[in-house]
Amino acid sequence: MASQISSPDTQETRPRVIVADRQLIVCQGIGSLVAQIDEVELGDYATDKASLRKLLTQTQDKTILILGVRLADGDLTHVLDMVRKDHPEVMVVVVAEDSEFAFIRTAIKSGANSVCMMGQVLTSLPRILGKLIDGHSIVPTDILRKLTSEAADTLSRREHEILGLLGDGLTNFQISARLGLSENTVKYYLKAIYQKLEVNSRGAAIAKYVAGNY
């Protein structure tokens, strides 16, 4: 139809949207929504860090990354760190389930440009993409309200990092070597993590991490 025809110049100015999540079906679902938005161009999907790196190296001037909380080989913290370090110009929208709200906190602390709950993706994502196209970061008011009403004793960035490595199966010694900390310091952090998560074992902490309930 004529209304869908764009000139080559218009095509070039549209931001490209990459969708990344460990589950391809999630990428495809979000991608089908993005494909209906005329102001952006749907790019390819990524399910692991290697494929995401490859796509990001091919980025044009304006690229928006819609990112789930986990890829096949890394969680949100690690992936955001990679993107912010290597491709700071990319605008990032993190999408999470309601039960994974802890990842929303992590996303905002790690510099995501916007966040969206999966249950509201049909109504919120087009509006969010519109704001990002205009160069504005946006956090929906309902998410801001929930963030500001929560207790202040949420996990610190370092505690998030250690919890992520714990979830990857690393031992205290391996975590200390990875982060350049002493084992005693790692134990101190783990004790604080257990208290904040209201658990008393490594397994229970990992279970909460995997479920996103922290």
Side-chain angles (χ1 to χ4, degrees):
M1 297 191 305
S3 61
Q4 295 179 331
I5 297 176
S6 302
S7 67
D9 291 340
T10 304
Q11 290 274 1
E12 290 176 0
T13 59
R14 291 191 302 167
R16 183 171 61 132
V17 177
I18 297 170
V19 185
D21 188 88
R22 63 177 175 172
Q23 298 185 53
L24 181 58
I25 191 170
V26 172
C27 295
Q28 292 169 335
I30 294 175
S32 65
L33 174 61
V34 172
Q36 299 175 41
I37 302 173
D38 293 336
E39 291 79 10
V40 298
E41 175 187 356
L42 178 62
D44 291 326
Y45 306 138
T47 56
D48 55 39
K49 288 189 289 188
S51 57
L52 179 58
R53 280 196 190 95
K54 183 177 180 180
L55 291 177
L56 290 176
T57 59
Q58 303 166 356
T59 56
Q60 55 192 47
D61 290 340
K62 291 185 178 180
T63 298
I64 299 172
L65 169 62
I66 300 177
L67 180 63
V69 299
R70 294 187 187 88
L71 298 187
D73 54 356
D75 75 359
L76 180 67
T77 303
H78 300 134
V79 177
L80 270 176
D81 284 347
M82 177 191 79
V83 175
R84 284 288 163 253
K85 178 183 176 182
D86 299 334
H87 302 279
E89 74 286 354
V90 172
M91 305 189 83
V92 181
V93 182
V94 171
V95 178
E97 298 284 357
D98 291 343
S99 62
E100 300 171 323
F101 194 79
F103 286 109
I104 293 297
R105 291 195 299 267
T106 301
I108 293 172
K109 289 178 181 178
S110 299
N113 299 94
S114 188
V115 291
C116 180
M117 305 312 296
M118 188 66 78
Q120 300 169 354
V121 71
L122 288 175
T123 55
S124 294
L125 189 59
R127 184 172 68 253
I128 288 170
L129 291 178
K131 290 291 186 180
L132 295 184
I133 291 168
D134 292 336
H136 304 296
S137 296
I138 176 174
V139 177
T141 53
D142 56 329
I143 293 178
L144 272 177
R145 193 176 301 116
K146 186 171 181 180
L147 284 168
T148 55
S149 66
E150 290 185 334
D153 62 344
T154 53
L155 298 181
S156 69
R157 181 175 177 82
R158 176 65 87 182
E159 288 165 347
H160 271 290
E161 191 173 19
I162 289 175
L163 183 57
L165 295 175
L166 202 69
D168 289 340
L170 272 65
T171 65
N172 289 1
F173 175 76
Q174 290 170 326
I175 292 173
S176 68
R178 177 76 64 87
L179 301 179
L181 304 172
S182 70
E183 280 194 76
N184 283 338
T185 300
V186 171
K187 290 177 183 177
Y188 171 82
Y189 276 117
L190 288 176
K191 183 178 179 180
I193 290 169
Y194 293 171
Q195 289 176 342
K196 290 182 179 181
L197 297 184
E198 298 181 344
V199 299
N200 55 16
S201 72
R202 198 181 193 89
I206 292 173
K208 280 203 168 187
Y209 167 75
V210 172
N213 295 328
Y214 64 94

